[in-house]
Amino acid sequence: MAGNIVAYFLLAVAIRQLKLDLSYPEILAIRSAGGLAIGLVLGWRDRKLFGEVWRSRLPLHLARSALHAVGAIAVVWSVANLPLGLVASIEFSGPLFAAAIGAFAFRLRPARFAWIGLGLIFAGAAAIVFQYKEVMGLAIIIPFAGVGFLTCTNIMLGTLTQKQSTHSILFIMNAAQLVIFLTLSLLGTEALQLPSSSISTTTLFAHGTATFALAIVLMAVSGYMTQASLSQATRHGTAVQVSALDTLRIPALAAAGALLFGEPLEQAFMIPSTIIMCGALLVTYLDRIRRV
């Protein structure tokens, strides 16, 4: 999980740096191109990967890739314009969206006491919305929308992983999203109609050719690093342990943002983040108990 935290931080560094010269679709096109290049290398070493890709259910893959692209744009906007600790905190509102999708689409209800954790997450998320709405307006909804879209794609991912490997799924996703993001890059950022943030963020390095090239490399590999570190973590720990350790991203990224980007650790922000952390831990443990 330490690798996941490091990968997320490198992703944030790359996004902040590339934002100086590129649009959000162009930044994500670099990520997709890097992921596709890694997939081609893996496929060259093991030709079974290309066979899996050829036999894939493309309609489901393309639908998931399109939804994931929308969520990815929202996440990149959030990382580029909001404090890292805040973005990490909002990401852990995912169980709320998962519970809602499960209830309406599959008529699945969380365990009785898991509602306590969901209630804590809702309380922390509501506090963040009310606090930042005064500063940002409705733009504070963007990171929550990103979490909602990505939660939906994670549920679809559960269906896909039953029949094919993670590498083949990521290969198709990166190929499809490269087309999507290149098309959006040609249309221009205005087509997305994303608002600007009233919160100013800083970069880690000075603006220059060398740092721009470094950011491209970091963006191309950090997405794959995140997937690889999470996969490796699940080989050495239970789902509960992995989910619990994943909540360490909130304080770790908040501290990294404060030390390296000069982002303030305000008490008004730390309290709802802590509540969301506790809620995520409770949902992870209590809902798993029911399913076991």
Side-chain angles (χ1 to χ4, degrees):
M1 295 311 298
N4 186 35
I5 295 173
V6 171
Y8 194 100
F9 177 72
L10 293 178
L11 183 71
V13 171
I15 291 172
R16 296 272 182 93
Q17 207 71 35
L18 292 173
K19 179 191 172 186
L20 300 176
D21 299 286
L22 302 177
S23 65
Y24 301 127
E26 289 170 338
I27 293 172
L28 285 164
I30 292 173
R31 189 195 68 173
S32 298
L36 184 59
I38 293 172
L40 288 171
V41 171
L42 293 174
W44 181 260
R45 296 180 62 182
D46 184 3
R47 299 302 175 90
K48 293 180 181 179
L49 174 61
F50 294 138
E52 278 193 57
V53 171
W54 181 258
R55 295 188 300 270
S56 298
R57 299 164 56 189
L58 281 182
L60 181 58
H61 276 283
L62 294 178
R64 178 183 176 273
S65 297
L67 287 176
H68 192 278
V70 177
I73 290 174
V75 169
V76 168
W77 182 94
S78 303
V79 171
N81 295 290
L82 301 177
L84 296 185
L86 175 61
V87 178
S89 300
I90 292 174
E91 282 191 359
F92 282 96
S93 63
L96 289 176
F97 294 97
I101 294 172
F104 288 105
F106 305 104
R107 296 184 178 180
L108 296 175
R109 297 175 60 188
R112 183 189 308 172
F113 294 108
W115 287 104
I116 300 174
L118 291 172
L120 288 175
I121 295 175
F122 180 81
I128 288 176
V129 170
F130 284 118
Q131 177 184 346
Y132 283 89
K133 185 176 180 298
E134 299 296 328
V135 180
M136 300 174 55
L138 292 178
I140 188 58
I141 301 299
I142 293 178
F144 286 99
V147 173
F149 278 107
L150 294 182
T151 300
C152 183
T153 62
N154 287 339
I155 294 174
M156 298 169 72
L157 180 62
T159 301
L160 293 172
T161 52
Q162 294 176 6
K163 294 188 176 181
Q164 61 187 106
S165 67
T166 300
H167 292 309
S168 63
I169 294 171
L170 291 178
F171 185 95
I172 296 173
M173 184 190 78
N174 284 313
Q177 289 187 351
L178 182 58
V179 175
I180 293 172
F181 294 134
L182 286 176
T183 302
L184 290 175
S185 299
L186 293 175
L187 293 176
T189 309
E190 297 78 11
L192 298 176
Q193 296 183 345
L194 291 174
S196 59
S197 174
S198 56
I199 300 177
S200 60
T201 55
T202 59
T203 60
L204 188 58
F205 304 109
H207 188 214
T209 303
T211 54
F212 179 74
L214 175 62
I216 289 177
V217 174
L218 291 179
M219 191 69 200
V221 302
S222 56
Y224 183 81
M225 284 179 59
T226 302
Q227 296 291 333
S229 60
L230 281 173
S231 176
Q232 189 67 13
T234 57
R235 297 177 188 272
H236 298 282
T238 65
V240 173
Q241 290 172 331
V242 172
S243 297
L245 287 173
D246 198 28
T247 61
L248 293 177
R249 265 192 299 152
I250 297 177
L253 290 174
L259 294 174
L260 298 177
F261 289 109
E263 298 170 354
L265 294 174
E266 299 177 358
Q267 184 178 5
F269 154 68
M270 295 304 296
I271 292 176
S273 297
T274 303
I275 293 174
I276 289 175
M277 247 182 97
C278 294
L281 288 171
L282 284 174
V283 171
T284 298
Y285 178 75
L286 295 173
D287 202 45
R288 173 104 194 282
I289 289 297
R290 180 197 181 190
R291 302 195 189 287
V292 171

